[in-house]
């Protein structure tokens, strides 16, 4: 049966009602929610507006079931603008969100604690500051990229379950012939509940976060020429959905492996402020290195969901992420059956990314990551050699080149270093 827009809207409402808390009016009633901060914003001209929110949730931890995060609601001029989970826990952290296009004049921004959406043992929050970021005509290409950034409705079965949250959104910009500007937006999610098993995520992608492209648009003179999004089953589909707060496409996270639908609805809306990324000479995973807190949130969600064990026994259980060596490599062209072997000083055993399973090998070109499980608390200085294997043969540097190695310290901070010479 073909699912039409009215049928989808009805299904969405039913599923949201099943998985989420009872519906509330989207208009803010500040008497029902503790106000954490209110401030005025005056705009000389209509502009895209972002907000840097410095906040914490005392006693919260993304790793602890029942205390994962406090939930905030951001209110603009009396209407609910979006939701924000304080997934960074009790430490002060700067969350960057996108309010959308606001007209010239004075606006009131209010941030409230949404206790009903908060974890039962994390219903406290503090907002130290909220700094507006204004993107007007003077920002040029960046303002265009911000103006078309997608806003994401939460997946129905993730609401109030603190799972698979979009940690950040980034965009890539490419100038094309005939004056075209192509913008491609992607998200890094804390994990994925369905799709690739966790063991394969680490072996083939070098992470347990989920990185998915969301939306792509080609512009000429600021007008849309073509636009598409990543649908369920990774199908590229033309965007025909609704927009909000200016020109922002509304998309719903629609599958357990975080693909999307432009028939968008949900009770929770996320709008991270996108950051610019240049991935011509780096993997997508390099953005995790630049935002190291992503590793910690990734590990905390894995631990809370029982996906970390000293002795993993199934395809969705891995060792502590700090026990892995993360290898960034580049394949000049598509090469099938790529794996990596690591040798340590004084150890006869060879540690391999594929762990002897052909299904855990890589078959793609360009820059990519894999992870190799090493002995717990390994010393990076003991790495003797790192080599790429194409099938059962050694790959030459002309086919697959190891670019850098990354390891995580006790605080999940990534440290990069050059591979040892052969």
């Amino acid at each position: 049966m073909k699912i039409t827009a009215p049928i989808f809207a009805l299904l969405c409402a039913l599923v949201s009602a099943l998985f989420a808390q009872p519906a509330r009016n989207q208009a803010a009633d500040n008497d029902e929610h503790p106000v954490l901060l209110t401030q005025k914003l005056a705009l000389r001209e209509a502009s895209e507006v972002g907000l840097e929110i410095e906040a914490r949730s005392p006693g919260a931890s993304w790793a602890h079931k029942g205390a994962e995060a406090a939930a905030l609601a951001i209110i603009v001029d009396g209407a609910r603008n979006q939701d924000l989970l304080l997934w960074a826990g009790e430490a002060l952290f700067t969350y960057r969100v996108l309010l959308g296009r606001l007209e010239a004049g004075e606006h009131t921004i209010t941030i409230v604690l949404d206790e009903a959406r908060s974890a039962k043992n994390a219903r406290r929050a503090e907002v130290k500051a909220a700094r507006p970021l204004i993107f007007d005509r003077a920002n040029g290409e960046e303002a265009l990229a911000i103006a078309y950034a997608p806003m994401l409705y939460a997946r129905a079965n993730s609401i109030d379950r603190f799972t698979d949250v979009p940690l950040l959104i980034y965009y890539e910009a490419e100038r094309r012939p005939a004056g075209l500007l192509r913008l491609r937006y992607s998200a890094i999610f804390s994990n994925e509940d369905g799709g690739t098993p966790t063991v394969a995520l680490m072996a083939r992608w070098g992470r347990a976060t989920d990185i998915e492209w969301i939306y792509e648009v080609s512009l000429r003179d600021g007008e849309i020429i073509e636009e598409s999004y990543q649908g369920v089953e990774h199908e590229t589909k033309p965007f025909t959905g609704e927009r909000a707060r200016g020109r922002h496409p509304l998309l719903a996270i629609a599958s357990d492996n975080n693909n999307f639908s432009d028939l968008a609805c949900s009770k929770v809306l996320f709008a991270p402020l996108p950051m610019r990324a240049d991935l011509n000479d780096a993997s997508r995973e390099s953005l995790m290195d630049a935002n190291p807190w992503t590793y910690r949130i990734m590990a905390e969600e894995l631990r809370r969901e029982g996906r970390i064990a000293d002795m993993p026994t199934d395809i969705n259980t891995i060792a502590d992420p700090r026990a892995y060596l993360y290898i960034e490599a580049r394949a000049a062209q598509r090469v099938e059956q790529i794996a990596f072997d690591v040798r340590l000083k004084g150890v006869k055993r060879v540690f391999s990314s594929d762990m002897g399973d052909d299904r855990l090998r890589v078959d793609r070109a360009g820059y990519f990551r894999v992870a190799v499980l090493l002995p717990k608390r390994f010393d990076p200085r003991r790495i003797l050699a790192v080599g790429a294997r194409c099938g059962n043969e050694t790959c030459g540097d002309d086919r697959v080149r190891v670019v850098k190695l990354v390891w995580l310290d006790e605080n999940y901070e990534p440290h990069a270093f050059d591979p040892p010479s052969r």
Side-chain angles (χ1 to χ4, degrees):
M1 179 183 72
K2 183 178 180 181
I3 299 179
T4 62
I7 293 175
F8 181 87
L10 177 60
L11 290 173
C12 182
L14 291 172
V15 172
S16 294
L18 177 65
F19 285 104
Q21 299 282 352
R24 293 187 299 276
N25 194 312
Q26 289 297 301
D29 183 350
N30 292 345
D31 293 335
E32 295 182 1
H33 303 297
V35 175
L36 304 176
L37 178 143
T38 297
Q39 67 182 46
K40 300 291 185 179
L41 171 65
L43 295 177
R44 294 182 179 179
E45 61 179 340
S47 306
E48 293 290 330
V49 178
L51 199 62
E52 289 185 335
I53 301 171
E54 193 173 357
R56 62 187 292 264
S57 178
S61 170
W62 198 249
H64 298 156
K65 190 172 183 178
E68 295 91 342
L72 306 186
I74 301 171
I75 313 300
V76 178
D77 298 333
R80 194 183 188 103
N81 181 276
Q82 64 186 276
D83 301 87
L84 175 64
L85 293 178
L86 300 185
W87 34 256
E90 61 183 6
L92 272 175
F93 185 84
T94 300
Y95 300 84
R96 303 175 81 244
V97 302
L98 174 61
L99 302 181
R101 180 180 172 87
L102 300 181
E103 297 302 319
E106 188 172 271
H107 301 274
T108 302
I109 300 170
T110 305
I111 301 174
V112 303
L113 174 65
D114 190 338
E115 293 173 304
R117 286 269 108 90
S118 300
K120 62 181 180 180
N121 295 319
R123 291 177 175 167
R124 292 189 297 153
E126 301 170 2
V127 175
K128 182 178 179 181
R131 295 176 287 273
L133 303 171
I134 312 302
F135 302 92
D136 54 26
R137 289 173 294 179
N139 294 95
E141 186 176 288
E142 183 183 19
L144 264 181
I146 297 300
Y148 285 95
M151 295 181 172
L152 301 179
Y153 281 115
R155 198 178 74 220
N157 65 352
S158 71
I159 296 175
D160 301 337
R161 283 162 173 77
F162 310 99
T163 182
D164 294 8
V165 66
L167 298 175
L168 62 84
I169 289 178
Y170 67 90
Y171 70 91
E172 300 165 83
E174 178 186 1
R175 287 288 179 182
R176 292 187 167 183
L180 283 180
L181 171 64
R182 186 193 71 118
L183 297 167
R184 184 181 177 97
Y185 301 84
S186 301
I188 299 181
F189 292 87
S190 54
N191 187 227
E192 61 175 276
D193 287 338
T196 306
T198 311
V199 169
L201 279 173
M202 293 296 283
R204 301 187 71 246
W205 300 95
R207 51 172 165 83
T209 56
D210 186 23
I211 304 180
E212 302 286 351
W213 78 272
I214 308 167
Y215 169 76
E216 183 175 295
V217 61
S218 293
L219 305 170
R220 182 184 290 122
D221 298 326
E223 298 300 322
I224 296 174
I225 303 301
E226 185 180 16
E227 56 184 336
S228 59
Y229 70 96
Q230 181 182 192
V232 176
E233 301 293 340
H234 305 290
E235 180 183 0
T236 299
K237 305 183 73 172
F239 178 80
T240 59
E242 296 182 357
R243 300 181 189 278
R245 304 184 183 100
R247 293 168 284 184
H248 300 283
L250 288 172
L251 288 153
I253 306 168
S255 66
D256 285 354
N257 61 335
N258 301 316
N259 293 165
F260 307 92
S261 171
D262 64 353
L263 295 170
C265 69
S266 173
K267 296 185 181 303
V268 173
L269 180 69
F270 296 126
L273 179 67
M275 57 179 288
R276 175 77 183 263
D278 182 355
L279 300 179
N280 289 319
D281 299 309
S283 69
R284 298 180 301 170
E285 291 73 22
S286 65
L287 290 172
M288 293 182 62
D289 301 343
N291 298 274
W293 43 268
T294 55
Y295 286 104
R296 178 174 65 85
I297 300 303
M298 174 191 84
E300 290 181 347
E301 184 163 323
L302 289 172
R303 191 171 298 282
R304 170 162 48 87
E305 295 181 349
R307 299 192 189 204
I308 292 178
D310 289 336
M311 297 292 291
T313 57
D314 60 61
I315 60 173
N316 279 312
T317 307
I318 63 170
D320 189 310
R322 293 169 292 190
Y324 289 80
L325 176 69
Y326 300 84
I327 300 173
E328 175 126 340
R330 180 182 182 275
Q333 58 187 14
R334 183 171 179 178
V335 180
E336 295 185 353
Q337 301 286 300
I338 304 172
F340 293 83
D341 298 323
V342 178
R343 299 178 185 274
L344 301 179
K345 296 176 183 177
V347 180
K348 292 183 178 180
R349 177 185 169 187
V350 176
F351 301 89
S352 301
S353 62
D354 63 359
M355 295 179 284
D357 187 337
D358 292 356
R359 295 171 298 179
L360 299 181
R361 295 177 180 177
V362 176
D363 60 354
R364 57 191 185 273
Y367 288 87
F368 60 90
R369 287 272 175 104
V370 303
V372 179
L373 179 60
L374 296 180
K376 192 174 182 179
R377 294 185 174 84
F378 71 92
D379 185 344
R381 293 171 296 183
R382 293 182 59 201
I383 296 174
L384 182 64
V386 177
R389 184 167 22 93
C390 298
N392 295 318
E393 300 179 353
T394 300
C395 298
D397 283 347
D398 58 329
R399 298 180 72 190
V400 179
R401 179 172 60 90
V402 177
V403 176
K404 68 176 179 180
L405 306 177
V406 177
W407 65 282
L408 304 180
D409 65 20
E410 285 298 305
N411 297 315
Y412 298 99
E413 289 282 334
H415 301 269
F417 59 103
D418 293 330
S421 57
R422 293 188 177 182

